[in-house]
Amino acid sequence: MSSLSTGSTATTEQPAFGANPRRRVRGLAHGLVDDLGEKIRSQQLRPGDKLPTESAIMQAYGVSRTVVREALSKLQAAGLVETHHGIGTFVLQPRAAGMFRLDASDIATSVDVLAVLELRISLETESAGLAATRRTEEQLLAMREALDDFERNVAVAGDTVEPDFRFHLQIAQATGNSYFADIMSHLGTTIIPRTRITAIRNHDRRGEYLTRVNREHEEIYAAIARKDPESARAAMRIHLTNSRERLRIAQEAAKNAAEPAAADAAVPSTPVAPAA
């Protein structure tokens, strides 16, 4: 795979006959993640540096926009970069605590949470766009109050689930379409992953995970405040896709850790001969 310093011509990858196009995209994205991740870890790309544009990465690596966007999503989920819609993607300071890890008992629940996140990406991306067009000043103020409560509770290790859900519900209500709010109300606070996954609640002693979530919320709010529906959709999609990707990576790590333990448990112990 080419590096960013090359001038390779972009190509649209054509899967071989009978191949799974999605699997090929994932393979190419994984390679791009490995290369960019290594540049970040080796300080070739330093904290605060702005990554090249999607088009520049496409040209340098000879991959499609779909591959680039999936790779950037994975890098964001890993806490290596952060995207500001309309500005660009920037390298982050490395996180000391790393990503949260799931316990084996959380794996089954995380599958259900992933499914709900997929539903939310479809539902809330459009919800954010409509809210940006239709929201009132009173609704915008309610969103601001929810975010302020969220930030305040992060600082004092208080309840962040209620203001988190309230923020998303206010966006649904600001669409002017009661069905969006009805669906969100029906799902309730269980749509927030940390209400279902013990590992998320326990790992984040210093608020690093929640601080990242709050920054993503602020991007959504800013777009709705300036009545920019496309930016609001993009910011919501980034937020929920990051949540899904963080959880998926943690779920895979938990499965990989659980498999050797299960194999060891399945091996019968060698009987010990009685002492003579």
Side-chain angles (χ1 to χ4, degrees):
M1 181 170 285
S2 304
S3 70
L4 285 176
S5 61
T6 68
S8 303
T9 303
T11 59
T12 302
E13 54 280 355
Q14 298 294 328
F17 178 76
N20 184 327
R22 184 61 182 158
R23 185 174 301 167
R24 176 160 173 76
V25 167
R26 286 177 175 171
L28 291 167
H30 181 74
L32 183 52
V33 168
D34 284 348
D35 193 72
L36 291 176
E38 178 56 31
K39 290 181 187 303
I40 293 170
R41 285 184 286 270
S42 66
Q43 296 286 296
Q44 295 179 55
L45 292 169
R46 298 176 180 276
D49 284 352
K50 183 178 179 180
L51 293 187
T53 63
E54 288 182 357
S55 297
I57 297 175
M58 289 166 58
Q59 183 175 12
Y61 287 87
V63 295
S64 70
R65 192 175 301 275
T66 300
V67 169
V68 173
R69 288 182 174 175
E70 179 153 341
L72 291 178
S73 176
K74 292 177 184 296
L75 289 169
Q76 288 179 71
L80 296 176
V81 303
E82 184 169 58
T83 295
H84 297 277
H85 184 70
I87 302 175
T89 299
F90 298 85
V91 178
L92 292 175
Q93 288 283 355
R95 291 181 298 176
M99 182 183 295
F100 70 87
R101 294 290 183 266
L102 297 179
D103 297 325
S105 60
D106 285 328
I107 295 176
T109 306
S110 71
V111 172
D112 187 42
V113 174
L114 280 169
V116 172
L117 280 169
E118 288 181 353
L119 171 64
R120 290 181 64 194
I121 289 170
S122 299
L123 176 71
E124 293 193 66
T125 295
E126 184 58 24
S127 177
L130 292 174
T133 302
R134 302 173 180 175
R135 58 85 177 164
T136 65
E137 290 300 319
E138 291 77 13
Q139 289 167 333
L140 186 66
L141 178 61
M143 294 177 209
R144 181 70 264 163
E145 289 174 347
L147 290 186
D148 289 346
D149 289 344
F150 186 103
E151 185 173 13
R152 189 180 306 112
N153 289 346
V154 169
V156 299
D159 173 32
T160 57
V161 170
E162 188 278 332
D164 192 335
F165 176 71
R166 183 164 25 111
F167 174 66
H168 286 273
L169 181 60
Q170 288 292 343
I171 292 172
Q173 291 172 343
T175 65
N177 183 329
S178 62
Y179 290 107
F180 281 96
D182 288 347
I183 293 173
M184 292 292 289
S185 297
H186 174 73
L187 292 172
T189 57
T190 58
I191 66 170
I192 310 299
R194 59 188 179 279
T195 66
R196 309 279 295 280
I197 306 295
T198 305
I200 302 178
R201 294 196 298 270
N202 293 341
H203 96 285
D204 193 38
R205 303 288 182 192
R206 292 178 295 177
E208 294 173 1
Y209 174 89
L210 294 176
T211 298
R212 168 174 286 280
V213 169
N214 198 42
R215 285 201 301 268
E216 293 171 359
H217 283 165
E218 291 288 355
E219 290 278 336
I220 299 166
Y221 172 83
I224 292 175
R226 64 177 183 265
K227 296 189 174 182
D228 183 346
E230 290 309 310
S231 292
R233 290 186 181 97
M236 181 65 82
R237 179 173 288 277
I238 286 171
H239 170 51
L240 295 177
T241 300
N242 285 353
S243 295
R244 181 185 63 181
E245 190 66 14
R246 284 188 285 261
L247 185 59
R248 186 191 64 77
I249 292 171
Q251 179 189 11
E252 289 183 355
K255 285 182 177 179
N256 292 337
E259 285 172 359
D264 290 343
V267 176
S269 58
T270 304
V272 179

